[in-house]
Each structure stands twice: as C-alpha cells, then as structure tokens.
Amino acid sequence: IDDEQKMQQNIKNEIEELHIEHKKSSISEYLTISIGITSRTGLDLLDSNTLYKEADDSLYLAKNKGRNCIFIQ
C-alpha cells in the first residue's frame, strides 16, 4: 500500500472511530465516508474539468462498492 492509500485509510478509520451517530443509515449506526481519488501528472492531465469528472466518478464508484469504501483510479 502506498502513502496515498495509507492516508485515505487513516482518514476513513478516524471518522469511524469518532462514533458519530447516524440513526437513519442502513450501512452503519455511525457516520462513515466513501473516498474517491484520481491522480494524474504531466501529460496525463488533460484539463481541470476532466480531472474533476474523474474524481467525481471515483467517488461514486467507491459508494457503489458498498459505501464506506475507498476507490483510487
């Protein structure tokens, strides 16, 4: 696991450990988060709109994996 994945996993775990009540959730009795990450460098980065769209897609892919997930593309 690289540093980015460790950082995202730590954020997810720390949110869970706060035990913030989420009464209406069917996933967990406590607040959870899903994280979608997209990383591009140099010539791989076409423009900021494309990067934003890929990050948004990554977030929804994480949510569709079952919520409380991390998806890195």
Side-chain angles (χ1 to χ4, degrees):
I1 298 178
D2 64 19
D3 289 340
E4 283 181 13
Q5 289 174 313
K6 285 181 188 176
M7 182 178 68
Q8 304 314 315
Q9 191 64 46
N10 286 340
I11 291 169
K12 187 176 98 45
N13 291 343
E14 287 181 21
I15 294 288
E16 281 184 89
E17 290 170 6
L18 291 172
H19 289 84
I20 299 170
E21 192 173 337
H22 195 315
K23 291 180 182 180
K24 295 184 180 184
S25 173
S26 62
I27 305 301
S28 173
E29 64 183 300
Y30 300 113
L31 182 72
T32 62
I33 63 168
S34 294
I35 300 172
I37 302 289
T38 296
S39 178
R40 300 284 182 256
T41 58
L43 297 175
D44 291 337
L45 179 60
L46 300 175
D47 60 61
S48 60
N49 288 332
T50 301
L51 183 63
Y52 179 82
K53 173 76 169 98
E54 289 178 359
D56 192 52
D57 290 346
S58 292
L59 174 58
Y60 282 95
L61 287 167
K63 288 181 176 184
N64 289 332
K65 285 175 52 177
R67 304 282 177 131
N68 198 30
C69 295
I70 299 170
F71 184 86
I72 300 174
Q73 121 178 316

